[in-house]
Amino acid sequence: MPASGRPEGADRETARAGRRVAQGAVGRAEAPEPGEEPRHGQLPQHGGDGVGRPREGGGPSGAGRSRPRGGEPGGSVPEQAPHGGRSAASGAPHGEVSRPAAGEAAGEQVPAPAGPLPTPPARSAHPGESGEVAAARQAGGDRLRFIGAATRRIARGIDLDEIVLGLCRATVPTFADAILVYLRDPLPVGDERPTGPVVLRLRRTDRIPEEPDTNGGRLPMLPAQPDLGPAMGGSAAELAEVEPGGPLAEVLRGVRPLFGEAQAARTALPELLGPDPRLPSGHRVILAPLRGRRRVIGAAVFLRRPDRPAFEPDDLLVAAQLATHTALGVDKAVLYGREAYIADALQRTMLPDSLPQPTGVRLASRYLPAAETARVGGDWYDAIPLPGSRVALVVGDVMGHSMTSAAIMGQLRTTAQTLAGLDLPPQEVLHHLDEQAQRLGTDRMATCMYAVYDPVAHRITIANAGHPPPVMLHRGGRAEVLRVPSGAPIGVGGVDFEAVELDAPAGATLVLYTDGLVESRIRDVWTGIEQLRERLAETARLTGPNPPPLEPMCDEVLDMLGPGDRDDDIALLAARFDGIAPSDVAYWYLDPKAQTAGQARRLARRALARWGLEELTDQLELLVSEVVTNAVRYAERPITLRLLRTDVLRCEVGDDVPQLPRLRQARPSDEGGRGLYLVNRMARRWGATRLSMGKVVWFELSMPPGTPRR
């Protein structure tokens, strides 16, 4: 019995327990003595299951890089509870051990038991342990708690800046007094192989200020201001080119964090930070490579001031955990950024770049994604010019918020444009869209509103496929929800659609929208429609008898959305009906006879004289004669001739022949074939559109200089 009164061997047992606690606190487990079972508080030999110790395959301590835990974004290490508590991820108590089964060799790697051991008391379970052992136990627990909190903060980031900022804010000042984060420029994405030299760019720095500000906070240093101050090594280079086979390349390839005093780090740091970094002496610098899933993507430099305790060997494991989770988060952010860019580009290309400017109507539109993090949706809008100065207005919504929804939306929009070019009635357009959606798949559902506006007749024809009803804002300020029969959504199949024809007086505004504008978690669709109607009426009252401008009105409509109203993407299309006055329209039916061309020239000349446009007489007579002659040659029913006076002079000739004329180069020996050539050379624009019962050939002439705009 020794003089201390404890049994012989107790001192040796206490020392051994102290070593186990100190090593287990940073994730290393000491194998039991031969014939000895693991004791309470000793971590099992799992290679990487001890918190803070990476697995096999390369890592800061030679054991390997840590792997992500299930359910932890970016592979973050779960938070460790205080002594005796449970892990936030696994639910196992801190200090849980596994006992080897009978016949197993001492120190053999075995899985942890399924059931937790009894929770130890808050006070030390070893009454005889020394103060040094207790301090080591406390330091190890602090490290575990810091790693858990830091990795959670890093994993919360979505984009690149958030992840790097999370590393800086979690590190300074708890772990280091300053940090520099270098990332590859450009960052490789996925499996792509970067070409050219490896260049590291200083992405962000953070440090404790030399003189704290009035709030005692930290001053973040951006790449444009990389000065760390005299006490922290001075300035740092913003760009560093990694030479193949150089010291920095070797350190980055090795993956393991190194103290700045190590021989490899001493030669690599000047290549990274500049030729004269003037770093603090002693173990106050850690160089940690940032390795993603496939390659090294950067490096982090942790620094401590000379007046602060130097880094300890266990801090290399902490730096390894921070670097690993940061690199995995950067990989995740780069991949997410590329996916978001592709999705956004897909969505934008599916929508029209600009709206047309048809005669007799003014248009404005808006599109808002559901959120910045989910920019893909199935909402679309379109305005399609039709023959006879008409225009088709379309708004649709494909169910879902994925790239698949955006792709289906693009297919339906293209189909709608093709059907509009055939000049089909609105109900027929919806019927064919329904068939197309069924061909795309059984679960392809969408809603759609299709309207055709005729500025000459001042009428609008609307057909609906399960879409919210449009709102008409009249010139006097009255807002009206139009009663349009609501058919089944597109994709249901076997449903007839019904069209209604309504008045569209001059000065009225038709507002088409998707359900994201009027429906959310906090209000139903009909409440939202009533709020939209009231907002339009209130906006119209501000401008008095004149209708409100279109663009500001669209902004006012979107302002009705509250913080909780953005559950879906939003498409908005507003059309202001100006119409064409009857005095600006001349219309005739002509029999298909040989004398019809001369008759058409005389009628056109009289109309120009009535409008005071005699300067265009020669051009108009020549082009009308050519187009009417082509129509008379093949038509069997009366042809139509219409002149429209707006900001241009438009001539339209219709017949019952569906074949469209084609521009061709006539040979010198040909007697015909030059009519469209003349039209193409002399007209401002021209075109031909197939109708359900024939075609329309049209051309436009610019107004003479000085003619007032209508």
Side-chain angles (χ1 to χ4, degrees):
M1 180 76 66
S4 60
R6 289 186 293 180
E8 184 175 1
D11 292 331
R12 185 167 58 255
E13 177 63 26
T14 301
R16 185 184 304 116
R19 287 197 304 272
R20 288 196 298 269
V21 170
Q23 293 175 342
V26 294
R28 290 179 292 179
E30 179 183 353
E33 294 288 339
E36 176 185 355
E37 291 186 352
R39 289 172 170 77
H40 178 73
Q42 178 177 337
L43 296 181
Q45 295 286 322
H46 281 216
D49 288 347
V51 178
R53 183 181 180 90
R55 292 179 182 266
E56 289 273 344
S61 62
R65 192 171 73 253
S66 65
R67 298 181 181 175
R69 296 289 184 92
E72 288 287 337
S76 63
V77 176
E79 180 184 11
Q80 297 297 322
H83 183 73
R86 287 180 176 270
S87 165
S90 64
H94 179 68
E96 181 177 337
V97 301
S98 66
R99 300 182 179 274
E104 290 181 337
E108 184 179 355
Q109 296 182 2
V110 294
L117 296 179
T119 303
R123 304 178 68 91
S124 174
H126 305 278
E129 73 177 11
S130 63
E132 181 179 353
V133 173
R137 182 194 299 274
Q138 179 65 31
D142 292 342
R143 285 191 180 92
L144 292 178
R145 284 187 289 273
F146 166 73
I147 291 174
T151 52
R152 285 197 310 274
R153 187 164 192 170
I154 295 170
R156 280 199 300 266
I158 296 178
D159 59 26
L160 191 60
D161 290 332
E162 288 180 350
I163 292 171
V164 176
L165 180 61
L167 172 65
C168 294
R169 289 294 183 260
T171 303
V172 180
T174 308
F175 182 71
D177 294 324
I179 182 175
L180 301 95
V181 182
Y182 283 83
L183 296 179
R184 292 184 67 160
D185 186 23
L187 279 165
V189 181
D191 295 328
E192 70 179 17
R193 294 183 177 274
T195 59
V198 177
V199 178
L200 301 183
R201 179 180 293 275
L202 184 60
R203 183 76 185 192
R204 190 178 185 92
T205 68
D206 201 3
R207 67 177 176 88
I208 299 177
E210 297 291 338
E211 295 181 2
D213 58 6
T214 55
N215 297 326
R218 292 167 292 156
L219 300 180
M221 305 299 295
L222 301 179
Q225 302 170 322
D227 185 18
L228 296 178
M232 296 308 300
S235 61
E238 292 190 29
L239 285 176
E241 182 174 341
V242 182
E243 298 181 1
L248 182 57
E250 292 298 327
V251 171
L252 296 179
R253 188 178 299 111
V255 179
R256 302 175 183 176
L258 299 174
F259 284 125
E261 295 295 316
Q263 177 62 31
R266 281 204 307 268
T267 56
L269 284 172
E271 186 178 346
L272 179 65
L273 305 180
D276 186 21
R278 303 195 311 276
L279 298 174
S281 59
H283 287 180
R284 290 184 173 83
V285 179
I286 292 179
L287 173 59
L290 302 178
R291 182 174 182 85
R293 292 174 176 84
R294 293 174 178 86
R295 60 184 65 88
V296 174
I297 60 174
V301 181
F302 304 93
L303 303 100
R304 282 187 182 177
R305 290 176 174 174
D307 57 350
R308 183 172 177 177
F311 289 112
E312 299 178 4
D314 291 335
D315 291 328
L316 292 176
L317 296 178
V318 176
Q321 289 287 341
L322 297 176
T324 298
H325 290 288
T326 301
L328 295 177
V330 169
D331 262 356
K332 174 188 66 177
V334 171
L335 290 172
Y336 172 78
R338 173 63 62 89
E339 181 181 352
Y341 170 78
I342 295 174
D344 185 62
L346 174 64
Q347 178 74 28
R348 294 298 175 182
T349 53
M350 294 298 180
L351 298 174
D353 294 333
S354 60
L355 293 174
Q357 298 178 353
T359 302
V361 61
R362 286 173 287 171
L363 303 173
S365 63
R366 293 291 186 274
Y367 174 78
L368 291 179
E372 289 297 323
T373 56
R375 300 182 64 87
V376 184
D379 291 14
W380 91 91
Y381 60 88
D382 213 342
I384 308 167
L386 299 177
S389 299
R390 296 170 299 151
V391 59
L393 307 174
V394 191
V395 169
D397 182 4
V398 177
M399 298 181 182
H401 301 91
S402 63
M403 298 181 70
T404 302
S405 301
I408 295 173
M409 176 266 287
Q411 292 175 299
L412 293 180
R413 177 174 176 247
T414 302
T415 304
Q417 290 178 332
T418 304
L419 295 172
L422 299 176
D423 199 32
L424 297 178
Q427 64 272 22
E428 290 296 324
V429 171
L430 294 183
H431 174 72
H432 288 292
L433 284 177
D434 180 63
E435 292 181 340
Q436 175 68 8
Q438 294 179 66
R439 285 191 290 267
L440 295 176
T442 57
D443 57 345
R444 309 311 187 192
M445 305 285 289
T447 63
C448 183
M449 181 78 66
Y450 189 92
V452 176
Y453 170 64
D454 188 342
V456 177
H458 295 270
R459 303 281 289 178
I460 186 169
T461 306
I462 307 177
N464 187 10
H467 205 75
V471 178
M472 179 81 79
L473 178 62
H474 295 273
R475 190 181 186 91
R478 180 174 64 91
E480 174 189 8
V481 179
L482 299 183
R483 296 182 178 180
V484 179
S486 179
I490 292 173
V492 173
V495 179
D496 291 332
F497 299 98
E498 182 181 354
V500 295
E501 188 174 351
L502 305 171
D503 289 329
T509 304
L510 183 69
V511 179
L512 305 176
Y513 53 91
T514 55
D515 58 356
L517 179 66
V518 295
E519 185 179 21
S520 67
R521 293 188 302 267
I522 60 177
R523 63 179 176 184
D524 61 85
V525 61
W526 288 108
T527 301
I529 292 174
E530 180 62 22
Q531 292 178 358
L532 172 62
R533 189 194 65 79
E534 294 175 354
R535 175 58 64 94
L536 289 172
E538 180 182 352
T539 303
R541 283 194 294 269
L542 298 177
T543 58
N546 298 321
L550 275 182
E551 297 292 340
M553 187 194 74
C554 292
D555 294 334
E556 287 291 331
V557 168
L558 295 182
D559 285 343
M560 65 179 280
L561 298 172
D565 293 345
R566 290 290 302 279
D567 299 334
D568 197 359
D569 47 340
I570 298 171
L572 174 67
L573 180 63
R576 174 70 45 77
F577 301 139
D578 295 332
I580 301 177
S583 59
D584 294 329
V585 180
Y587 195 89
W588 303 277
Y589 285 95
L590 304 175
D591 293 328
K593 299 183 299 183
Q595 302 82 5
T596 301
Q599 182 184 3
R601 289 195 297 269
R602 290 191 298 272
L603 294 174
R605 187 186 312 117
R606 294 172 186 172
L608 292 182
R610 185 170 66 251
W611 291 335
L613 300 175
E614 290 84 355
E615 297 181 36
L616 301 178
T617 300
D618 293 339
Q619 286 179 277
L620 182 62
E621 284 188 359
L622 176 59
L623 300 185
V624 165
S625 179
E626 294 293 339
V627 176
V628 170
T629 298
N630 289 338
V632 169
R633 180 177 301 175
Y634 304 104
E636 297 180 357
R637 298 179 181 179
I639 65 173
T640 60
L641 172 63
R642 185 165 73 168
L643 298 179
L644 302 174
R645 180 183 62 162
T646 56
D647 53 343
V648 296
L649 180 64
R650 183 182 177 99
C651 175
E652 299 174 351
V653 177
D655 57 55
D656 60 345
V657 181
Q659 287 78 17
L660 299 180
R662 300 298 180 190
L663 181 64
R664 63 185 180 90
Q665 188 71 32
R667 293 174 298 182
S669 59
D670 292 341
E671 296 182 359
R674 295 177 177 83
L676 289 182
Y677 177 78
L678 293 175
V679 174
N680 184 63
R681 293 296 300 268
M682 299 180 64
R684 179 176 177 265
R685 290 194 311 155
W686 77 278
T689 306
R690 183 179 286 109
L691 304 178
S692 57
M693 297 298 292
K695 68 176 181 294
V696 168
V697 180
W698 57 270
F699 62 85
E700 294 176 353
L701 297 177
S702 300
M703 289 293 186
T707 304
R709 296 181 62 87
R710 305 190 63 81

